[in-house]
Amino acid sequence: MDFISIYSQQIARHINGMLSVEEIAEMMEEPKLTQHGDLAFPCFQLAKHMKQSPNEIAKWLAEKIKSPSIAKVEAIGPYMNCFMNKKRASKQILRTIYHQKQAYGTHQFGEGKTITIDFSSPNIAKPFSMGHLRSTVIGNAIALIAEKCGYQTVRINHLGDWGTQFGKLIVAYERWGDEKTVKANPIQALFALYVLFHEKAEKHPILNEEARACFKKLEDGDGEATQLWTWFRKESLKEFTKIYELLGVTFDAYTGEAFYNDKMQDVISMLQERDLLVRSDGADVVNLEEADLPPCLIRKSDGATLYATRDITAALYRQVHYQFDKAIYVVGQEQAIHFQQVFLVLQKLGFDWAGNMVHVPFGFMLKDGKKMSTRKGKVVLLEEVLAEAVKLAEQNIEEKNPALGNKADVAKKVGIGAVIFHDLKHDRQNSVAFNLEEMLQFEGATGPYVQYTHARACAILRKAPVSQDMVEGLDDEFSWPVIKKLHHFPEIVMASLHSYEPSKIARFLLELSQEFNRYYGKVKILHDDPHLHDRLVLVACSATVLKEGLRLLGIHAPEEM
């Protein structure tokens, strides 16, 4: 049952085509005050067509609208407000959710289509910091939401496993490194060398030239440089895999920058054949003046390739191998111009599918109000944060529910879920302040609060399971806000995908949890009366939507806490 559609069609019948059903639906609002009904239609636009005041039109229309699904319509100033038939609507909504279970909120518009999602993409030989969390959890949530909408997704981890930083790292290892130390603790040891290189290079800039020369040797296939690079990559992937397992994140491909080394010349040749490459200060670039963008640098004067060269090559490879209908890049907002350049170069090459490539930017993870920097060693290691989160969750469970049988497993789900939810509840374009205390609070706008609400619903159902499929409907004032919220879940899923904004689902789950807990506090759910069964169905539907919503964010929903 779509409230907006029913109400919009009713209005359209009486206004002789002045506005379409779709236009009416777009104008519909939800009143801030519950006493003003469930939907409000502003009559300002009709006033232009009908040459009457919006207040008069609202009164006239209110008398015309009649439907079994609508209990009452009244004019409130220039608005015509609609009160849905709670019993009838709740019966339909609860029955739908109860029968569909976790399939509720599923859409089919993505069926038969493929989306590639490029996300996470940490740099080899650097620790997985809190700064990498954002791309990882935002990308994973978008993939899960896209799958809910019918898309086949290809999750790609475009590892930062090539570039001048490897020249720096090899120089640092050869000058100050020790094989035994690196083998004992690879990421920490290599990271320490990377930081040390930048400290030394500030006083001795010649080291940067040495690093560039070393990277050129690596590009040319030098045996010793390649051996070191292979070792650094292998050890880093082992460490990253541990993090991804903790977060419950998987990938279909780990094709990083180095994968495209032998494929870039074809792209350069293609650009030359189309007369798109021009020389600029010894380098090869594609001019993008028509889009008011700086030139896209394809090849430096020393012959070395750049990020743009690799991303253009990667896009061509992905289109051939995955035939994507849409390609999404979940990469920080500081790369916005880079992706504008890459997409435009592909369009200039004549590839129509380049119009279906999307950069999904996000803000920084801040520590003490500043962006974290791997060069200066100012990072907070994600693995340490996750371990601390699990530890604190375990302490909290020990205090509140010492008899819980599977404390370690629940603590893991709650602690890691808290970290993920803390990130995803923010609009992705906003920067997020790293605050361990805030993200681990078990009350307020947090993941544990939503998980606890789900566990509370499960506890009720353990005491009194739903015994039959029949639903009669509820019309009390406390159940209706919960039912209305549940009804919105499918549209929230769709809106979240269209805006690439998992925070819409996170905020929805917080609002649903608040409404459910308010209901729990006001109503004796297990009271033995004719409405007991329907109340239990409402609890079951709430548990279903909370669990499915958390799943779409990459978070588990324990049944006990």
Side-chain angles (χ1 to χ4, degrees):
M1 178 180 286
D2 184 343
F3 299 162
I4 292 177
S5 177
I6 291 168
Y7 194 27
S8 300
Q9 287 170 15
Q10 284 286 317
I11 294 169
R13 280 181 197 167
H14 299 285
I15 60 172
N16 299 323
M18 294 175 197
L19 294 170
S20 69
V21 173
E22 291 74 23
E23 287 172 326
I24 295 167
E26 193 71 31
M27 294 162 62
M28 211 68 75
E29 299 174 14
E30 192 163 326
K32 290 179 182 176
L33 301 174
T34 54
Q35 60 264 37
H36 286 173
D38 301 307
L39 287 170
F41 176 70
C43 296
F44 302 105
Q45 282 237 40
L46 287 177
K48 295 176 186 176
H49 295 284
M50 299 173 71
K51 311 298 182 190
Q52 289 178 273
S53 75
N55 296 37
E56 288 173 327
I57 295 168
K59 284 179 188 174
W60 171 74
L61 263 180
E63 293 171 5
K64 298 280 185 185
I65 304 299
K66 286 179 177 59
S67 166
S69 299
I70 298 172
K72 181 175 71 168
V73 181
E74 65 181 27
I76 301 177
Y79 288 86
M80 184 176 62
N81 291 29
C82 165
F83 297 75
M84 301 305 294
N85 183 323
K86 294 186 179 70
K87 187 99 171 173
R88 185 185 177 96
S90 65
K91 178 179 179 177
Q92 184 68 41
I93 293 163
L94 293 176
R95 183 187 289 173
T96 299
I97 300 170
Y98 187 72
H99 285 291
Q100 290 185 4
K101 301 289 191 292
Q102 66 270 22
Y104 181 64
T106 298
H107 298 280
Q108 280 80 44
F109 60 82
E111 282 187 5
K113 297 177 182 175
T114 299
I115 293 179
T116 57
I117 306 180
D118 181 325
F119 67 104
S120 194
S121 309
N123 290 320
I124 293 299
K126 293 182 188 175
F128 206 119
S129 74
M130 281 298 291
H132 295 105
L133 178 71
R134 303 224 65 200
S135 174
T136 305
V137 298
I138 293 169
N140 187 54
I142 289 172
L144 291 166
I145 297 162
E147 287 159 7
K148 180 83 171 171
C149 294
Y151 288 97
Q152 180 182 342
T153 63
V154 181
R155 299 147 176 262
I156 301 169
N157 197 334
H158 188 74
L159 294 168
D161 60 0
W162 204 249
T164 312
Q165 71 264 31
F166 288 98
K168 296 174 181 178
L169 194 57
I170 291 168
V171 168
Y173 177 75
E174 289 178 339
R175 279 175 171 265
W176 311 294
D178 171 69
E179 185 178 352
K180 189 177 177 183
T181 306
V182 172
K183 281 187 174 177
N185 208 339
I187 294 289
Q188 281 80 355
L190 292 171
F191 181 49
L193 287 170
Y194 183 76
V195 172
L196 180 61
F197 177 90
H198 283 279
E199 288 173 358
K200 298 277 189 185
E202 281 185 14
K203 296 175 184 174
H204 308 285
I206 191 70
L207 284 170
N208 289 316
E209 294 296 326
E210 198 176 323
R212 277 191 281 271
C214 188
F215 176 58
K216 188 67 172 67
K217 280 168 64 180
L218 184 59
E219 280 207 307
D220 294 339
D222 177 80
E224 188 180 344
T226 301
Q227 189 177 0
L228 284 172
W229 172 84
T230 304
W231 178 40
F232 297 161
R233 189 181 191 279
K234 182 182 174 185
E235 294 298 336
S236 295
L237 270 176
K238 279 186 199 171
E239 296 298 310
F240 295 160
T241 301
K242 291 179 193 173
I243 301 289
Y244 292 132
E245 284 176 356
L246 282 171
L247 292 171
V249 174
T250 59
F251 293 94
D252 299 298
Y254 284 87
T255 44
E257 294 174 32
F259 178 78
Y260 301 101
N261 281 349
D262 60 353
K263 300 170 181 63
M264 285 184 290
Q265 187 52 52
D266 289 345
V267 171
I268 293 169
S269 299
M270 193 187 301
L271 289 164
Q272 288 170 330
E273 287 165 14
R274 310 281 170 89
D275 292 326
L276 291 172
L277 272 193
V278 295
R279 299 290 282 179
S280 175
D281 295 327
D284 291 317
V285 305
V286 177
N287 278 327
L288 303 174
E289 292 171 356
E290 72 276 19
D292 201 23
L293 287 169
C296 184
L297 193 52
I298 300 296
R299 185 167 52 186
K300 292 197 284 190
S301 55
D302 64 0
T305 52
L306 292 105
Y307 289 127
T309 327
R310 293 172 191 285
D311 278 338
I312 293 165
T313 306
L316 289 163
Y317 175 87
R318 292 169 189 177
Q319 178 55 222
V320 169
H321 283 78
Y322 305 121
Q323 296 172 356
F324 61 76
D325 296 277
K326 186 169 285 188
I328 296 171
Y329 296 80
V330 186
V331 183
Q333 59 194 14
E334 67 274 24
Q335 295 297 321
I337 290 175
H338 164 78
F339 282 107
Q340 287 176 44
Q341 291 175 313
V342 167
F343 299 164
L344 186 53
V345 170
L346 285 162
Q347 286 174 23
K348 286 170 81 85
L349 280 167
F351 298 112
D352 293 340
W353 46 262
N356 297 322
M357 300 175 76
V358 181
H359 173 216
V360 176
F362 54 85
F364 299 121
M365 179 68 74
L366 304 176
K367 184 172 183 285
D368 302 326
K370 297 177 182 176
K371 182 189 171 188
M372 296 178 184
S373 168
T374 48
R375 289 188 177 190
K376 296 180 180 177
K378 292 180 179 177
V379 295
V380 177
L381 300 183
L382 180 56
E383 192 170 15
E384 291 178 4
V385 170
L386 295 177
E388 182 67 14
V390 172
K391 181 183 169 186
L392 288 173
E394 201 156 9
Q395 288 173 5
N396 197 288
I397 290 166
E398 189 65 50
E399 288 171 17
K400 294 187 175 182
N401 191 2
L404 186 66
N406 53 341
K407 278 182 276 198
D409 180 57
V410 173
K412 186 177 174 184
K413 290 173 180 175
V414 171
I416 291 170
V419 175
I420 296 173
F421 194 91
H422 176 74
D423 189 299
L424 294 181
K425 74 177 181 180
H426 296 90
D427 286 353
R428 59 174 165 78
Q429 299 240 44
N430 292 342
S431 291
V432 176
F434 170 71
N435 185 324
L436 194 57
E437 274 185 32
E438 183 184 325
M439 67 177 69
L440 292 171
Q441 284 175 0
F442 286 72
E443 294 169 358
T446 67
Y449 172 68
V450 177
Q451 288 172 315
Y452 183 73
T453 305
H454 171 264
R456 169 177 272 174
C458 290
I460 295 168
L461 296 170
R462 279 194 297 276
K463 291 178 186 174
V466 177
S467 57
Q468 53 177 309
D469 287 352
M470 291 297 295
V471 181
E472 295 301 323
L474 295 162
D475 59 3
D476 63 283
E477 63 176 305
F478 300 115
S479 67
W480 184 237
V482 184
I483 293 165
K484 275 209 300 182
K485 192 60 69 177
L486 291 170
H487 174 67
H488 286 313
F489 183 57
E491 72 187 62
I492 293 293
V493 171
M494 186 188 294
S496 186
L497 181 61
H498 287 158
S499 59
Y500 310 109
E501 191 61 86
S503 66
K504 289 184 187 295
I505 290 177
R507 286 196 293 270
F508 166 85
L509 292 175
L510 286 169
E511 290 166 6
L512 175 58
S513 297
Q514 287 162 357
E515 294 294 0
F516 180 84
N517 287 320
R518 199 172 288 125
Y519 176 69
Y520 178 85
K522 296 283 187 181
V523 175
K524 291 182 178 178
I525 295 171
L526 296 177
H527 179 61
D528 191 6
D529 65 16
H531 300 295
L532 172 61
H533 173 71
D534 279 14
R535 287 198 298 272
L536 290 173
V537 171
L538 172 58
V539 173
C541 291
S542 300
T544 293
V545 173
L546 287 168
K547 182 177 182 178
E548 181 63 3
L550 285 169
R551 185 190 72 79
L552 293 176
L553 300 180
I555 299 170
H556 290 283
E559 293 189 4
E560 291 183 85
M561 279 176 68

